[in-house]
């Protein structure tokens, strides 16, 4: 049954009309005794049969699709090479090779094989699917179309544009001991105080000298510590369509988030990126840029995205939230309040209509080129 379904997919809509119409004409002509209708039906069936003969056979090919680079900054082009070779002796019937590249399709003549190269421009940020490469065999009238897939699709990443930033290490407390919090612990690096020994405490934490001087006979004092945590940066790019007046604002927001994440990862700060639903948790530079490349405008509100950030990263120490000009000041305050009090939270608000400015922990960014100056002015330093 499945094989029959596969055979039926070879017939195009026009081919089905011709085949069924020819049979119908033949039957009507035979019933009414109209020779003309019988002749027309027979002619249609003959044409359909010849079309079937042209699609018979299977080509023995080796097809390879190669990109000189799989990741580039948007605006640059990538060279794609298609290598076609016949693996058996014999003559090939007319055959074409189709290679989808994004929304376009590159077409090659298989006869003669060889290597064909062409450039792929990256006009906008995003993931461009290259492939799969398929051969197409059919007839001149388009009654049948038989395709064979030879390669898997390859993803070409057009990463967002970024601007170079000064090191963020000073502002992110990138030290070996981490940063102290208000949480108390019985085992850490930051000493806090002494307290009386309680059943279950580790004997190694008993402070013998203080116990001898200050504690009552038979009682002991143990060390208590403050929890410390390594610097962990969260870069959150708002993907709600309601936060931006147009896609250009969103692209600037993505580029701003990418610039901050790239600088932090270069500084060897643990970085997690949440970009409009795509997450790169404690990732390196490539996965972080890939996540920022895949993201797009959607319907998830900024408040829900921030709530998800808090759930995913309970140990975050610094959060940078990048959004558009639409959220109100009250909404931004609510976003910052969603993080714990000890988490440094900065909001970068992309607004092409207003001047770049710094107001407390809310940074207004007019152009991407203003980001280095804005951050050096107190944003994360």
């Amino acid at each position: 049954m499945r094989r029959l379904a596969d055979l039926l997919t070879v017939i195009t809509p026009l081919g089905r009309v011709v085949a069924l119409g020819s049979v119908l004409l033949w039957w009507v002509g035979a019933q009414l005794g109209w020779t003309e209708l019988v002749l027309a039906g027979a002619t249609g069936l003959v044409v359909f049969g010849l079309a079937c003969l042209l699609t018979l056979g299977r080509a023995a090919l080796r097809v390879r699709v190669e990109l000189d680079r799989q990741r580039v900054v948007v605006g640059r082009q990538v060279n794609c090479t298609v290598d076609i070779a016949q693996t058996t002796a014999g003559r090939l019937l007319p055959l074409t090779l189709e290679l989808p590249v994004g929304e376009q399709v590159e077409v090659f003549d298989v006869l003669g094989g060889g290597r064909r190269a062409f450039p792929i421009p990256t006009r906008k940020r995003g993931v461009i699917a290259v492939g799969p490469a398929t051969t197409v065999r059919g007839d001149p009238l388009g009654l049948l179309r038989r395709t064979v897939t030879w390669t898997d699709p390859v993803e070409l990443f057009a990463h967002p544009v970024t601007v170079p930033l000064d090191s963020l290490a000073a502002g992110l407390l990138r030290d070996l001991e981490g940063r102290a919090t208000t949480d108390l612990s019985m085992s850490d690096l930051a000493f806090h105080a002494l307290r009386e020994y309680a059943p279950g405490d580790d004997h190694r934490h008993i402070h013998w000298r203080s116990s001898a001087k200050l504690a009552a006979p038979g009682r002991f004092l143990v060390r208590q510590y403050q929890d410390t945590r390594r610097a962990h940066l969260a870069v959150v790019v708002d993907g709600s369509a309601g936060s931006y007046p147009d896609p250009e604002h969103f692209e600037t927001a993505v580029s701003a988030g990418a610039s901050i994440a790239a600088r932090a990862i270069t500084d060897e700060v643990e970085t997690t990126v949440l970009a409009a639903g795509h997450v790169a948790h404690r990732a390196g530079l490539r996965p972080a840029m890939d996540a920022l490349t895949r993201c797009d405008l959607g319907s998830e509100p900024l408040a829900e995205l921030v709530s998800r950030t808090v759930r995913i990263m309970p140990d975050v120490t610094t959060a940078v939230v990048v959004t558009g000009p639409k959220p109100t000041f009250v909404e931004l305050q609510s976003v910052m309040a969603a993080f714990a009090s000890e988490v440094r939270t900065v909001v970068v608000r992309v607004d092409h209509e207003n001047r770049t400015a710094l107001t407390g922990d809310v940074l207004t960014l007019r152009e991407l080129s203003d980001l280095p100056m804005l951050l050096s002015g107190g944003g994360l330093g």
Side-chain angles (χ1 to χ4, degrees):
M1 198 69 182
R2 184 177 178 181
R3 187 173 181 83
L4 177 61
D6 292 339
L7 290 174
L8 291 177
T9 59
V10 176
I11 306 174
T12 66
L14 177 60
R16 295 175 186 178
V17 170
V18 170
L20 295 177
S22 299
V23 172
L24 181 60
L25 287 175
W26 192 321
W27 181 82
V28 171
Q31 293 297 318
L32 300 178
W34 288 6
T35 306
E36 293 83 358
L37 291 181
V38 173
L39 182 59
T43 303
L45 291 176
V46 170
V47 171
F48 186 81
L50 292 175
C52 291
L53 291 176
L54 290 175
T55 59
L56 293 178
R58 181 179 178 86
L61 301 175
R62 185 187 71 247
V63 180
R64 290 188 301 179
V65 177
E66 298 177 350
L67 303 176
D68 64 345
R69 288 173 295 176
Q70 200 171 346
R71 290 169 174 83
V72 294
V73 177
V74 62
R76 299 180 180 177
Q77 71 176 25
V78 175
N79 292 321
C80 179
T81 303
V82 180
D83 188 5
I84 307 171
Q86 186 176 352
T87 57
T88 58
R91 182 186 178 89
L92 282 176
L93 293 175
L95 199 63
T96 58
L97 181 78
E98 293 183 352
L99 180 68
V101 179
E103 298 178 353
Q104 299 181 344
V105 178
E106 299 289 335
V107 180
F108 306 93
D109 186 2
V110 173
L111 293 178
R115 294 171 64 90
R116 325 288 172 83
F118 63 96
I120 302 177
T122 56
R123 298 183 178 90
K124 61 180 182 179
R125 176 190 58 84
V127 180
I128 302 173
V130 181
T134 57
T135 51
V136 179
R137 189 193 299 275
D139 60 281
L141 299 179
L143 304 183
L144 289 92
R145 176 184 169 89
R146 181 183 173 192
T147 61
V148 178
T149 300
W150 298 96
T151 66
D152 294 324
V154 179
E155 290 185 326
L156 170 59
F157 291 85
H159 284 169
V161 175
T162 58
V163 291
L165 302 176
D166 293 335
S167 176
L168 306 176
L172 296 177
L173 300 178
R174 201 179 119 244
D175 58 290
L176 293 177
E177 295 184 354
R179 62 183 287 187
T181 70
T182 57
D183 300 327
L184 299 182
S185 169
M186 290 305 298
S187 178
D188 215 303
L189 296 174
F191 175 74
H192 175 63
L194 295 172
R195 65 166 176 81
E196 284 196 6
Y197 174 84
D201 287 342
D202 194 332
H203 292 176
R204 292 175 298 177
H205 294 149
I206 296 177
H207 197 282
W208 297 103
R209 182 175 297 179
S210 298
S211 299
K213 290 182 179 180
L214 304 176
R219 294 182 178 273
F220 304 95
L221 298 177
V222 295
R223 300 180 183 88
Q224 194 171 35
Y225 301 87
Q226 282 183 308
D227 272 339
T228 59
R229 56 176 69 170
R230 295 278 294 170
H232 186 182
L233 172 67
V235 179
V236 184
V237 179
D238 180 12
S240 173
S243 298
Y244 304 92
D246 52 59
E248 285 74 17
H249 279 78
F250 178 64
E251 291 303 318
T252 302
V254 172
S255 292
S259 300
I260 295 171
R263 180 69 258 186
I265 293 171
T266 302
D267 289 342
E268 298 181 359
V269 177
E270 283 190 351
T271 303
T272 296
V273 173
L274 287 94
H278 294 275
V279 181
H281 190 46
R282 285 187 168 91
L285 185 59
R286 177 179 291 182
M289 292 299 107
D290 286 353
L292 287 158
T293 300
R294 291 185 185 277
C295 71
D296 205 351
L297 287 171
S299 58
E300 183 180 22
L302 176 59
E304 291 185 9
L305 180 61
V306 170
S307 297
R308 186 149 57 93
T309 303
V310 174
R311 292 195 303 270
I312 293 175
M313 294 178 289
D315 61 342
V316 63
T317 59
T318 303
V320 179
V321 180
V322 188
T323 184
K326 291 295 187 69
T328 64
F329 181 77
V330 174
E331 291 173 331
L332 297 181
Q333 291 295 321
S334 176
V335 164
M336 291 188 285
F339 293 94
S341 57
E342 67 269 15
V343 177
R344 173 71 188 284
T345 307
V346 176
V347 174
V348 179
R349 186 169 167 271
V350 176
D351 189 351
H352 293 169
E353 303 301 324
N354 289 305
R355 293 188 306 169
T356 294
L358 173 62
T359 307
D361 288 330
V362 178
L363 288 65
T364 301
L365 180 67
R366 180 185 178 92
E367 302 291 343
L368 180 63
S369 57
D370 296 337
L371 186 62
M373 177 268 294
L374 189 62
L375 296 183
S376 64
L380 289 177

